[in-house]
Amino acid sequence: MAERVTIGDLAQRLGLSKASVSYALNGRPGVSAETRARVLALARELQWYPSSSARTLSGARTGVVGLVLSRDPDLLGTEPYYMLVLSGIESALIEAEYGLLLRMVGTEPGRDLAVYERWAGERRVDGVMLFDQRRDDPRIPLVRHLGLPAVLNGAAEPGAALPAVVPDEHGDADRVVEHLRDLGHRRIVHLAGPSGLLHEQRRDQLVRAAADRTGIVVETVEGDYTMGTAERLTTERLQHGPGPTAWVASNDVMALGVVRAAARAGMDVPGRMSVVSWDDSLLCEIGAPPITALDRHPRDFGRRCAQALLAVIAGTPDEDTGPRPSELRVRASTGPAPA
Amino acid sequence: MAERVTIGDLAQRLGLSKASVSYALNGRPGVSAETRARVLALARELQWYPSSSARTLSGARTGVVGLVLSRDPDLLGTEPYYMLVLSGIESALIEAEYGLLLRMVGTEPGRDLAVYERWAGERRVDGVMLFDQRRDDPRIPLVRHLGLPAVLNGAAEPGAALPAVVPDEHGDADRVVEHLRDLGHRRIVHLAGPSGLLHEQRRDQLVRAAADRTGIVVETVEGDYTMGTAERLTTERLQHGPGPTAWVASNDVMALGVVRAAARAGMDVPGRMSVVSWDDSLLCEIGAPPITALDRHPRDFGRRCAQALLAVIAGTPDEDTGPRPSELRVRASTGPAPA
DNA sequence: CTGAAAGCGCTTACAG
DNA sequence: CTGAAAGCGCTTACAG
């Protein structure tokens, strides 16, 4: 059982005041270089670590940022996307010696709000990362009221008045639509995620805008990110008779559902219909056929999100480098539009 | 910007001492029921929350447990297993009003050790969860030396002298081997994960033991959990000529690699060889063919891990309910051994 | 360049 | 049942 070494112990051993030791440890002026060296050497030798609670209590930062995930845990398990974003977040935090407090609250509305309130009240975190933004998202006024530094990730609500990190939404939509246009598709279905999510609305708008420019007609169908629902919706649409020759699904799992429904309906992919996924993953690679997908560099995105929040916390101007352009991984699920 | 409400504010407003307020808030004896009610009412009205740092500094728990993940982030992204375990952990922590401090450090050896040291020194967490145990795992003496409560999850090293939560290892091995035996397989390959991991060693022993009992011969091949390596190893083995008629892979991603290699070698699955995955996931469901897999209830396992750690922290006897038996999901990748 | 002191917001013996 | 006081381990003006 390691004995706790305090700043007082160091001061006593060195014949200094606690203040001097503190200044030395924190690299602040007020001590000679020699004293500083002695302090640092002893601190290392005795394996001194600052008590995070004592530090925070006397006004310092907590060194922790918070993330509340309010998606269905089962969905989180199937979509690799979030795990990759998480790992990107971690990579940026580690460099800044920051920790991540993670909370998965499920989808019951409002449960996430209670967490932010508590974190702010308890002074647990220096800031929070907000994902999956909704229109008139209650989290935005809440964090402002709480004085909790925050960054919006994934979609910028106009006038949200919070810093935001956004993917290359325009480029993504263009890449997908242009690929289908080049293959001769003139009618496509956009199988979107829940329309309550702002980035789904944006995406749909941008897909439509890109399609308009090239004379492509878009039907939008609202899914819920699960394979089962995607399969059912696709089946229903196919029963309405043909029309669209290509499907764009908002995540990899739904894209698989589309492919399944096509198989069940006897529609060859890509012979009679093409399928594109908005997220790439191993699921897309091993699909039968493998699915053309947009690699949006989720880890890179996670990094940017964390960096933006750290910048807000530090009070430094945001140095967001901007999105790294996504890459469309063309696979066997897309082909020329049937004549 | 919410003004911070302190216990002193409450005391002043109510004409009480801070001590009385503290007792009332913490449900400790020393205040009348009426006083307690007044305190609680005002605390709620003013949205008072205890400062976590102040509480911790005066000896209380942090209300946070730590988890260091030292797997390759790309692997974490492809394997749904960990995300599900995480969500199980969260579900138990939420009930206990505990938070999770998460750290993903990559695979460089020793980086995780520095994190435990720091967390202990800074008094950041009340305990840690240890996954992916290795033989002579340096984390075990470390956490003991640091006095950091910990639980070993996934494999019990004999004499490790730390509480452990284990899956139903015997049952798992039996279920897999018996399924293959019933199908008439007499020679199988166990495509294991890295042998440095204790649970992989255990698993191999148990597979061999179960096989011995039924007269099945086992070859063990060591993989690294990736699809690419699994594919390569399988291809190499198949070039040595036939022999084994069934492959058991230690995770879903490797099982897919085996199937791919078989397809490339023109070996029909399950006609000429059967494939079983030790983990179930969407990847197994959508494989071509869908892969027979062991559903080990990862969320349930995560819950048990968190509960065990909370019990250690609370000093209460561990009430582990024991593993929920896994279920083998039989799919098209397993069939009768070829004659 | 260094030291004595107050303060952060709680908890907890100790008196009354 | 209640209050005054010390203490947790830091940081930070303020004197010297």
Side-chain angles (χ1 to χ4, degrees):
Chain A
M1 202 72 66
E3 284 298 312
R4 177 158 229 1
V5 180
T6 72
I7 224 174
D9 299 331
L10 298 180
Q12 197 179 347
R13 289 244 207 170
L14 294 164
L16 295 170
S17 71
K18 293 194 299 175
S20 300
V21 172
S22 175
Y23 290 140
L25 256 11
N26 291 304
R28 309 199 54 193
V31 283
S32 66
E34 193 210 322
T35 305
R36 187 181 308 275
R38 284 174 56 217
V39 171
L40 291 176
L42 186 64
R44 174 170 299 271
E45 183 193 330
L46 299 185
Q47 304 205 55
W48 172 85
Y49 286 91
S51 151
S52 59
S53 54
R55 243 191 193 165
T56 302
L57 185 56
S58 48
R61 292 177 185 136
T62 63
V64 173
V65 299
L67 171 57
V68 180
L69 251 29
S70 39
R71 287 218 182 167
D72 182 334
D74 286 321
L75 274 179
L76 287 173
T78 56
E79 282 187 297
Y81 183 78
Y82 264 103
M83 201 51 142
L84 292 171
V85 171
L86 255 184
S87 108
I89 289 171
E90 285 278 358
S91 73
L93 293 182
I94 285 171
E95 287 168 19
E97 311 225 286
Y98 252 77
L100 178 72
L101 195 57
L102 179 70
R103 199 82 154 205
M104 292 162 71
V105 296
T107 53
E108 208 179 306
R111 289 195 53 178
D112 54 342
L113 300 180
V115 175
Y116 298 118
E117 233 167 79
R118 204 173 140 181
W119 280 351
E122 297 182 347
R123 293 280 190 272
R124 277 245 182 239
V125 297
D126 295 335
V128 293
M129 323 192 58
L130 305 179
F131 282 88
D132 283 343
Q133 196 187 340
R134 297 167 178 280
R135 186 160 299 288
D136 295 322
D137 199 310
R139 295 175 295 179
I140 297 174
L142 179 64
V143 297
R144 291 184 64 90
H145 168 249
L146 294 170
L148 193 58
V151 169
L152 296 173
N153 302 311
E157 187 166 24
L162 277 182
V165 177
V166 291
D168 181 16
E169 298 172 306
H170 276 91
D172 289 348
D174 289 351
R175 259 179 289 275
V176 169
V177 171
E178 282 166 15
H179 174 61
L180 294 175
R181 179 205 58 197
D182 291 350
L183 290 168
H185 295 274
R186 312 294 300 163
R187 297 192 55 181
I188 68 179
V189 175
H190 179 209
L191 178 53
S195 64
L197 295 172
L198 212 56
H199 68 262
E200 291 292 343
Q201 293 182 15
R202 289 279 297 160
R203 204 177 280 181
D204 193 52
Q205 286 164 8
L206 292 169
V207 165
R208 287 175 171 277
D212 274 356
R213 280 199 300 278
T214 47
I216 290 178
V217 177
V218 179
E219 288 173 40
T220 302
V221 175
E222 182 175 339
D224 62 2
Y225 292 140
T226 69
M227 190 164 73
T229 303
E231 195 171 342
R232 181 174 56 75
L233 292 170
T234 307
T235 300
E236 285 171 12
R237 178 61 191 81
L238 291 179
Q239 283 164 353
H240 273 47
T245 57
W247 290 66
V248 177
S250 210
N251 73 351
D252 46 0
V253 176
M254 289 202 294
L256 287 170
V258 175
V259 168
R260 280 201 163 196
R264 189 168 294 184
M267 300 271 291
D268 181 57
V269 174
R272 294 189 50 203
M273 62 186 257
S274 288
V275 180
V276 179
S277 165
W278 207 276
D279 279 323
D280 192 19
S281 73
L282 194 54
L283 290 171
C284 294
E285 277 181 58
I286 67 150
I291 297 173
T292 296
L294 207 49
D295 179 357
R296 301 191 290 139
H297 312 303
R299 292 186 66 189
D300 197 69
F301 179 64
R303 267 189 81 79
R304 286 174 58 219
C305 297
Q307 282 167 339
L309 179 56
L310 292 172
V312 170
I313 291 169
T316 56
D318 188 3
E319 298 160 17
D320 189 355
T321 51
R324 173 173 159 203
S326 306
E327 287 158 63
L328 190 68
R329 311 250 176 249
V330 178
R331 303 200 180 92
S333 71
T334 47
Chain B
M1 204 69 70
E3 284 297 313
R4 179 161 228 358
V5 180
T6 72
I7 223 172
D9 300 330
L10 298 180
Q12 199 179 345
R13 289 245 208 170
L14 293 164
L16 295 170
S17 71
K18 293 194 300 177
S20 301
V21 172
S22 174
Y23 289 140
L25 257 9
N26 292 302
R28 310 199 53 193
V31 283
S32 67
E34 193 208 321
T35 305
R36 187 183 308 276
R38 285 174 57 218
V39 172
L40 291 176
L42 186 65
R44 175 169 299 270
E45 184 194 330
L46 300 184
Q47 304 204 57
W48 172 85
Y49 286 90
S51 150
S52 58
S53 53
R55 246 192 190 163
T56 303
L57 185 56
S58 47
R61 293 179 185 134
T62 63
V64 172
V65 299
L67 171 59
V68 180
L69 251 31
S70 37
R71 285 217 183 168
D72 181 333
D74 286 319
L75 274 181
L76 287 173
T78 55
E79 281 187 298
Y81 183 78
Y82 264 103
M83 202 48 145
L84 292 171
V85 170
L86 254 184
S87 109
I89 290 172
E90 285 278 358
S91 74
L93 293 181
I94 285 172
E95 287 168 20
E97 310 225 286
Y98 253 77
L100 178 71
L101 196 57
L102 180 69
R103 199 80 154 206
M104 291 162 71
V105 296
T107 52
E108 208 179 306
R111 289 196 51 179
D112 53 342
L113 300 180
V115 176
Y116 298 117
E117 233 167 80
R118 205 174 139 181
W119 280 350
E122 296 181 347
R123 291 285 189 270
R124 278 247 181 235
V125 297
D126 294 335
V128 292
M129 322 191 59
L130 305 179
F131 283 87
D132 283 342
Q133 196 187 339
R134 296 167 177 281
R135 187 160 297 290
D136 295 322
D137 199 311
R139 294 175 297 178
I140 297 175
L142 179 64
V143 297
R144 291 183 63 90
H145 169 249
L146 295 170
L148 193 59
V151 169
L152 296 173
N153 302 310
E157 186 165 29
L162 278 182
V165 177
V166 290
D168 182 16
E169 298 172 306
H170 276 91
D172 290 348
D174 289 350
R175 260 180 288 276
V176 169
V177 171
E178 282 166 16
H179 173 61
L180 294 175
R181 179 206 57 196
D182 292 349
L183 290 168
H185 296 275
R186 312 294 301 163
R187 295 192 56 180
I188 68 179
V189 175
H190 179 210
L191 178 52
S195 64
L197 296 171
L198 210 56
H199 68 261
E200 291 292 345
Q201 294 182 16
R202 289 278 297 159
R203 203 176 280 182
D204 193 53
Q205 285 164 9
L206 291 168
V207 165
R208 288 176 169 277
D212 275 354
R213 281 199 299 278
T214 48
I216 291 177
V217 177
V218 179
E219 288 173 38
T220 302
V221 175
E222 182 175 339
D224 61 3
Y225 292 139
T226 70
M227 189 164 73
T229 302
E231 196 172 342
R232 180 174 56 74
L233 292 171
T234 307
T235 300
E236 284 171 11
R237 178 59 190 81
L238 291 178
Q239 283 166 352
H240 274 47
T245 58
W247 291 66
V248 176
S250 210
N251 73 351
D252 46 0
V253 176
M254 288 201 294
L256 287 169
V258 174
V259 169
R260 281 202 161 193
R264 188 167 294 183
M267 300 272 290
D268 181 58
V269 174
R272 293 186 55 201
M273 62 186 257
S274 289
V275 179
V276 179
S277 165
W278 207 275
D279 279 323
D280 192 18
S281 73
L282 194 53
L283 290 171
C284 293
E285 278 181 58
I286 67 152
I291 297 172
T292 295
L294 207 49
D295 179 357
R296 300 192 290 138
H297 312 302
R299 291 187 66 191
D300 198 69
F301 179 64
R303 267 189 80 78
R304 287 172 58 218
C305 297
Q307 283 167 339
L309 179 56
L310 292 173
V312 169
I313 291 169
T316 57
D318 189 2
E319 298 160 17
D320 188 355
T321 51
R324 172 174 160 202
S326 306
E327 287 158 64
L328 190 68
R329 312 250 176 248
V330 177
R331 302 199 180 92
S333 70
T334 46

